[in-house]
Amino acid sequence: MIYKVIVDISNQEVDRVFDYSASFDVPVGSRVLVPFGRQTKEGFVISTAETSKHETKDIIKVLDDYPVILPEMLKLCEYLKAQNIRYIDSLRLFIPAKLRGGRVKILSKYLLSLAEGVNAEEAKTRLRKGSDAQAAILDELAAAPRFESEINAMYSASAVKSLLAKGLIKKELVEIERAPQAMAVKRKEITLTEEQQKAVDTVMNGGEGVYLIHGVTGSGKTEIYMTIIEKLLAEGKTAIMLVPEISLTPQMLGVFRLRFGDKVSVLHSGLSDGERYDEWRRLRLGESRVALGARSAVFAPVQNLGAIIIDEEHDTSYVSEGNPRYFTSDIATFRIKYNRAKLIMGSATPSLDSYQKAKTGEYKLITLRNRVNRCELPVMETIDMRKELRAGNVSIFSKELLSALDKTLAEGNQAMIFLNRRGFASFVRCRSCGYVAKCKDCEVSLTYHKDDNTLKCHYCGRQYKMIDKCVVCGFQHLKEGKVGTQKVVEEINRIFPHARVLRMDNDTTRTKDAYFKILSAFGEGKADILVGTQMIAKGHDFPNVTLVGILDADLALYFSDYRSNERTFQLITQVAGRAGRECKRGRVIMQTYNPKHYVFRYAERYDYEGFFEKESNVRETTKFPPFTRIVRLLVLSQKEDEALKATRKLYTELSALKTERFMKEIIRVQAMRAPIKRISGSHRFQVVIWEALPEKAEVMPEIYKIAESAISRDVTVFCEINPQQMI
Ligand code: ADP
Ligand code: ZN
């Protein structure tokens, strides 16, 4: 018997499958030790054959007493291979580091902050004229320390370098540890509501396939998931429960522990390698039968899978940004087909993509219209910040929000103040009328590029001259200052000196257990106001919160992403859902410079369906997903001419493909420099392809082939489908 073995060599650019023989039986999926050149290496047996064309050496030994890769996962490898993901990269997703020769990666990042004793304002005056990026970085860091990778992406790596050289800022390596703890939760006697029971029945009686649960915030989706899992366990099956970021949801962990005890294993990035291995092994050997975790838990080694549940399915964390890039729902779909199981996705604001599929009948739709306790959803009010400005209020808080805060504090209730940090730097907005510059072709916000003083569309590459006054109202103050969470806390302290304020953002949650501590303290009533970024929007359940303030509700609208409207709607709905959970009447105050935008009109009324119709229309006319598929080939090289050459080659070949398949499969091909031209010495170009009708398009393998052919010693090409962020 010949065994096909993938040898685990980490710096290998291609998959190499080697033939080995053995004097004993080796089950497929085993981890083995093999002779490799003059060394011995670890490898994985992925298949067998009768004969080999080569002379073969013998496998030295089998390393574990059970095959570490299940047959299902080998099939999944093949499936991913067709999407250009190498075997070895897939295997790395499934198998804990501890099982792979102890190659251990500690997650650490460089953190930038102002150097000791440096005052940003004063330091800026000492910079040479034209050092705008450096000045902006100083401002940014004065507000809060940031990761170097973020700052590099927002400004420029060279500006960071010069600031470091001048000793104005410092950088340190920090370990990112986010081991979650379960939050102590009280056992509640719960009888499912009629809506919940109906949802459970629909799923349990509905056979295999995909279910989309669209339920308002507080409709008790977690209880539905747990009841379904319980029923599946009773049938002898297993389940995978995915949540966006487990460290942000210690409550979820708490309720699962309470309900399932040690039948549940938790998988997430904050575990030590030893812990992760233990959890993985318990699942692999069937000692635990529920895997709870963030997106990578979709690869949990469970057998006889009954269901995969994806909570908050719209969340961006379900797309892996690293290598290999994968869509969690894609993997989940593969696994439930293999196991003839159910995929259950839940959200108060499903992604347009999923809802579209529910409408066409591809997914089974379950709608929950009521909160479990029949409490009403909080009242939303939109505040026009342009009016505040005209009335002489230049503060970050509207009068309405201040008086609501005052009232909340007086009543002894709690408030959450939400500040969006996404899409910060670069769009151009008129503070007087709210006008924002957009691409004429794509309807996507333009991004301001300081280096050549232009506005650019990150999708089609079209350039516009920078404007110096508002094209609608003529107002001349277009740019605006940035506000950070720290500033917000300072303001609150100044206005309400007796209020106890907690802050939750990247900055305050670096240390182990920080999330947990902040959320617990707030939950126990040790603070009156919680100020935070996106992190506070997730599914927290704090009964005493009666007020939610959203400071700059439209910020996310101007991110150069075709999903900006969708993301804004989701974010607002999620944040708003934090108020009035236990029938204390909740109130949400939403501040914006663009109150007429349809996102706010629909969000205010919790009208998801209305928003969906409107936004679908826009996507269909502008030819964006889910009506098309956007593929970006990102070309990277240390050598600019090589990158350019590869980009030209890609463009030529893809244009030829377009001519051949025009409108049937390919609508448009564009080549340009990437929005960020260089990252750590690497020149970046991109070719963007608009594919028609993704479900029918068979053109992807050809695109992969063309992409592959442009890769050389000097040039890397990444292929991204519907990329989250065009930078
Ligand atoms: P969602 O995820 O839909 O926003 P949750 O699952 O967080 O909602 O549920 C909100 C709250 O309602 C939780 O505290 C949960 O324990 C409680 N809950 C859920 N179902 C019931 C029920 N049938 N009766 C009483 N309380 C319930
Ligand atoms: Zn455009």
Side-chain angles (χ1 to χ4, degrees), residues 188 190-193 196 216-222 372 541 581:
K188 281 195 223 171
I190 283 180
T191 323
L192 294 187
T193 64
Q196 285 174 314
V216 296
T217 54
S219 54
K221 293 187 283 293
T222 312
V372 277
D541 200 12
R581 305 274 293 188

Side-chain angles (χ1 to χ4, degrees), residues 4 25 38 46 134 162 222 294 347 363 376 408 414 447 498 509 518 539 583 609 688 714:
K4 303 261 176 202
D25 256 1
R38 258 178 273 157
I46 57 161
Q134 294 185 39
S162 359
T222 312
S347 174
Y363 295 173
E376 283 173 58
T408 306
Q414 290 177 300
T447 301
H498 299 295
T509 51
I518 297 173
C583 287
E609 273 107 6
V688 183
D714 293 320

Side-chain angles (χ1 to χ4, degrees), residues 109-113 133 136-137 140-141 143-157 159-160 174 176 178 421-426 482 505-510 515 533-535 559 676 678-679 725 727:
K109 278 183 164 183
Y110 283 107
L111 186 68
L112 295 178
S113 54
I137 294 171
E140 195 75 45
L141 296 181
R146 299 288 294 268
F147 289 119
E148 186 179 25
S149 51
E150 293 169 351
I151 296 287
N152 282 347
M154 285 165 72
Y155 304 99
S156 83
V160 170
V174 290
I176 311 169
R178 289 182 174 174
R421 279 201 69 106
R422 213 169 160 233
F424 237 10
S426 41
K482 294 170 208 164
D505 53 24
N506 269 333
D507 183 27
T508 60
T509 51
R510 290 224 157 78
Y515 289 96
T533 55
Q534 268 80 328
M535 289 177 194
F559 202 60
I676 296 177
R678 262 178 95 175
I679 291 182
Q725 217 181 352
I727 59 167

Side-chain angles (χ1 to χ4, degrees), residues 427-714:
F427 67 95
V428 174
R429 170 166 70 180
C430 172
R431 262 196 92 163
S432 176
C433 78
Y435 162 82
V436 170
K438 292 201 167 166
C439 176
K440 292 193 174 79
D441 291 332
C442 306
E443 270 300 306
V444 168
S445 299
L446 297 172
T447 301
Y448 175 57
H449 285 247
K450 245 176 203 153
D451 44 2
D452 47 7
N453 199 37
T454 54
L455 293 166
K456 283 182 199 159
C457 172
H458 280 190
Y459 284 90
C460 71
R462 195 162 159 172
Q463 294 197 18
Y464 301 79
K465 266 223 272 307
M466 176 59 187
I467 44 177
D468 53 8
K469 57 177 188 268
C470 175
V471 298
V472 176
C473 75
F475 192 70
Q476 297 200 333
H477 298 280
L478 292 177
K479 282 187 214 157
E480 39 192 289
K482 294 170 208 164
V483 183
T485 39
Q486 204 171 356
K487 175 84 186 302
V488 176
V489 173
E490 274 168 28
E491 279 292 294
I492 295 177
N493 283 334
R494 194 175 58 76
I495 305 168
F496 304 104
H498 299 295
R500 297 162 303 163
V501 188
L502 279 173
R503 175 160 70 102
M504 183 153 148
D505 53 24
N506 269 333
D507 183 27
T508 60
T509 51
R510 290 224 157 78
T511 58
K512 194 167 152 74
D513 297 342
Y515 289 96
F516 181 72
K517 285 191 188 130
I518 297 173
L519 292 174
S520 303
F522 191 64
E524 289 160 16
K526 290 183 184 144
D528 307 302
I529 304 175
L530 177 61
V531 174
T533 55
Q534 268 80 328
M535 289 177 194
I536 66 170
K538 313 259 168 170
H540 311 299
D541 200 12
F542 298 119
N544 286 323
V545 173
T546 55
L547 174 68
V548 166
I550 306 177
L551 287 189
D552 203 339
D554 37 347
L555 265 190
L557 283 179
Y558 312 128
F559 202 60
S560 63
D561 181 342
Y562 65 89
R563 278 160 296 210
S564 293
N565 294 339
E566 181 181 350
R567 297 253 195 273
T568 308
F569 185 88
Q570 287 162 347
L571 210 54
I572 292 170
T573 312
Q574 292 295 331
V575 190
R578 300 314 111 215
R581 305 274 293 188
E582 299 267 286
C583 287
K584 289 188 180 180
R585 194 74 174 120
R587 194 172 168 198
V588 180
I589 295 184
M590 197 156 61
Q591 301 185 165
T592 167
Y593 287 89
N594 197 350
K596 296 234 165 63
H597 196 291
Y598 62 83
V599 165
F600 303 117
R601 276 206 333 265
Y602 291 113
E604 231 172 34
R605 299 194 303 254
Y606 298 96
D607 183 3
Y608 175 83
E609 273 107 6
F611 172 74
F612 172 83
E613 289 303 330
K614 170 77 189 168
E615 185 64 17
S616 292
N617 257 324
V618 174
R619 297 274 184 90
E620 197 160 12
T621 33
T622 50
K623 300 212 165 26
F624 274 103
F627 302 96
T628 57
R629 175 155 65 184
I630 293 189
V631 181
R632 168 164 90 152
L633 303 180
L634 184 62
V635 182
L636 304 176
S637 175
Q638 296 289 326
K639 299 178 183 159
E640 189 170 11
D641 52 336
E642 290 294 327
L644 197 59
K645 222 168 72 194
T647 308
R648 287 215 178 97
K649 174 177 148 66
L650 286 172
Y651 181 71
T652 313
E653 289 177 23
L654 288 162
S655 298
L657 192 64
K658 183 188 105 177
T659 316
E660 196 184 301
R661 313 281 184 88
F662 185 59
M663 283 325 275
K664 224 171 75 231
E665 287 177 317
I666 296 181
I667 303 172
R668 207 169 160 197
V669 178
Q670 299 274 350
M672 67 202 93
R673 272 186 195 276
I676 296 177
K677 292 180 198 160
R678 262 178 95 175
I679 291 182
S680 45
S682 182
H683 296 268
R684 306 168 85 247
F685 288 81
Q686 68 186 32
V687 182
V688 183
I689 305 142
W690 273 257
E691 252 183 53
L693 298 172
E695 52 303 341
K696 295 205 189 101
E698 293 300 330
V699 75
M700 225 32 234
E702 286 167 76
I703 293 179
Y704 283 134
K705 217 155 110 221
I706 293 174
E708 193 106 342
S709 74
I711 296 174
S712 66
R713 251 181 60 193
D714 293 320

